[in-house]
Amino acid sequence: MSEDKRKSEMVKEQDDGKEQGNGKVKESRRDFLKKMGVAAAATVAAPAITSTTAEAVSLGETFQTHFELMSDAQKEKAIARLEKRYTEQFGKQTTVANTPAPDGVLFGYALNIAKCIGCRRCVEACVKENNQSRDPAIQWIRVLRMERGNDTFELENLHKGSPDSNSLGDYGIQSGGHADKHVGLSGAAEHYYEPEQVPEDNAIYFPVQCHQCEDPPCVKACPVRATFRDPNGIVVIDYNWCIGCRMCQLACPYWARRFNWGEPELPNEDMNPKTHYLGNRPRMRGVMEKCTFCLQRVREGRYPACVEACPVGARKFGNLLDPESEVRKVLATKKVFRFKEAFNTDPKFFYYMD
């Protein structure tokens, strides 16, 4: 769907929701949900309002329309409000960019699971770059640790099994003696691990983050279209339009979305003041957030922070439309697979092995 057509549909939906008659206005389901969401968020947030957040979200910001439907003048005002709020809140001059999506680019990502050493420097770089909350901790990248199995087929188990003994002999009828002994990967993934050093001899690592699906179920699940796919194929969120219903989180098969249950804590000294409206600007309590491939960077021709931070070069990023890009060369020459391909979400995040 073209950008103009998508915007046209969103405007039509907004217009269709309001019917003038006898001086009364009927509200669409989205308008209702938006207001309910604002009311619910206000109710939930009330006990936790601090001096910071009391000044934070102005009425103008709370009731602004969807960013994609704003005029240029409205966008300038919205960005000015945010820059003023962030600058005052964090005590440093903050910019909120609205750099448009570059033409002729479809961003893609490839990760070499044979090289990943599980150091999680990508996680640390992502947190710093994207202004994620330190407490409660929110991380957009998970690195799963999976234990390697052993070659456990042994002669002594040849005549064992379940049941132990029966009229046919001592052989297992229902299961053999080597059942329940994993070979290869165990299949059980640890989200939290603290080894003395990495990589560990008996483990492999499998980083997971937003897969920027071409057919994203999270976008379809959002009742107010706060999340949508941008022209470069990145799924973004208008945080001021999000009502915090978490339907997108339920729809995502990759557990890639995070909900701000508490007031995000971002120390002033750690705040990255160079932000983008749809990227790494600080989020509020009660909204969803996720990886955007560091949209504030890639729209300016830079690599995502996680790509730069990887010490072994396991992460590749580039334009899927360019045959000379790193990611396209990976797709052309390596053994590549998509995670959970059976869900038919067509991710633009690929795993490969040398």
Side-chain angles (χ1 to χ4, degrees):
M1 182 185 299
S2 68
E3 184 70 5
D4 291 341
K5 187 176 180 182
R6 182 166 62 83
K7 289 184 178 180
S8 176
E9 283 195 355
M10 296 173 74
V11 172
K12 185 175 183 302
E13 180 182 292
Q14 190 175 49
D15 292 343
D16 288 346
K18 297 182 178 180
E19 178 182 328
Q20 299 290 341
N22 299 324
K24 297 181 178 179
V25 178
K26 289 185 177 180
E27 293 181 323
S28 69
R29 179 170 177 268
R30 191 191 66 181
D31 293 333
F32 173 76
L33 287 170
K34 174 67 176 175
K35 291 181 178 178
M36 290 298 293
V38 170
T43 301
V44 171
I49 283 183
T50 65
S51 59
T52 300
T53 54
E55 297 289 335
V57 182
S58 65
L59 286 178
E61 187 178 338
T62 300
F63 292 103
Q64 70 187 31
T65 188
H66 194 295
F67 193 69
E68 288 292 288
L69 300 180
M70 291 182 190
S71 64
D72 290 342
Q74 288 173 321
K75 288 182 178 178
E76 289 181 7
K77 288 183 179 179
I79 287 175
R81 280 195 296 266
L82 289 173
E83 289 181 336
K84 181 175 184 295
R85 172 159 74 86
Y86 295 146
T87 298
E88 293 177 351
Q89 182 176 349
F90 295 99
K92 57 175 67 173
Q93 189 63 42
T94 303
T95 59
V96 180
N98 183 27
T99 310
D103 290 333
V105 176
L106 182 66
F107 288 120
Y109 207 117
L111 196 153
N112 189 342
I113 57 173
K115 277 192 172 181
C116 179
I117 59 174
C119 64
R120 290 183 289 202
R121 290 183 185 174
C122 53
V123 179
E124 182 180 351
C126 177
V127 169
K128 289 181 178 178
E129 169 66 26
N130 291 293
N131 289 321
Q132 291 159 30
S133 173
R134 271 54 163 181
D135 186 17
I138 289 182
Q139 298 173 349
W140 295 349
I141 300 176
R142 289 180 299 141
V143 180
L144 306 181
R145 175 190 181 278
M146 289 179 281
E147 188 174 346
R148 296 178 188 273
N150 298 311
D151 184 2
T152 55
F153 293 96
E154 298 167 345
L155 181 60
E156 64 181 28
N157 290 327
L158 188 62
H159 297 286
K160 296 181 180 177
S162 177
D164 293 336
S165 180
N166 54 61
S167 58
L168 298 178
D170 293 332
Y171 308 105
I173 300 300
Q174 295 176 325
S175 60
H178 293 97
D180 302 324
K181 297 181 185 299
H182 68 268
V183 175
L185 298 178
S186 66
E190 295 180 59
H191 295 230
Y192 309 101
Y193 56 93
E194 295 184 358
E196 293 184 359
Q197 64 179 24
V198 292
E200 302 160 273
D201 292 337
N202 63 337
I204 71 162
Y205 307 94
F206 194 86
V208 180
Q209 57 200 78
C210 177
H211 284 220
Q212 317 297 352
C213 305
E214 274 293 89
D215 193 4
C218 54
V219 169
K220 297 175 182 176
C222 179
V224 296
R225 296 198 180 188
T227 185
F228 54 98
R229 178 186 174 283
D230 86 348
N232 295 143
I234 298 176
V235 177
V236 296
I237 303 172
D238 183 345
Y239 299 113
N240 284 89
W241 199 245
C242 175
I243 61 174
C245 67
R246 302 173 62 204
M247 294 298 291
C248 57
Q249 189 177 34
L250 291 173
C252 175
Y254 302 106
W255 195 26
R257 289 178 174 253
R258 307 287 182 267
F259 183 68
N260 272 307
W261 288 100
E263 186 68 29
E265 182 176 315
L266 177 60
N268 294 355
E269 61 272 19
D270 292 342
M271 190 264 185
N272 177 5
K274 189 175 182 181
T275 73
H276 191 285
Y277 185 91
L278 298 173
N280 62 335
R281 67 183 174 101
R283 280 72 61 187
M284 306 80 82
R285 176 181 180 178
V287 301
M288 300 300 304
E289 58 181 75
K290 60 177 275 299
C291 159
T292 63
F293 282 172
C294 287
L295 180 144
Q296 67 281 357
R297 283 172 158 248
V298 299
R299 284 192 177 184
E300 295 180 351
R302 303 172 62 194
Y303 280 125
C306 53
V307 173
E308 289 187 351
C310 181
V312 294
R315 292 171 173 268
K316 305 297 181 185
F317 182 81
N319 182 4
L320 290 169
L321 304 181
D322 179 6
E324 298 302 317
S325 68
E326 286 184 327
V327 66
R328 275 290 297 272
K329 289 183 177 178
V330 167
L331 299 184
T333 60
K334 305 295 183 181
K335 299 173 183 175
V336 178
F337 69 94
R338 284 165 156 168
F339 188 33
K340 297 185 179 181
E341 188 158 11
F343 283 87
N344 292 324
T345 58
D346 296 325
K348 294 185 295 297
F349 195 101
F350 306 92
Y351 295 95
Y352 70 100
M353 293 167 283
D354 288 318

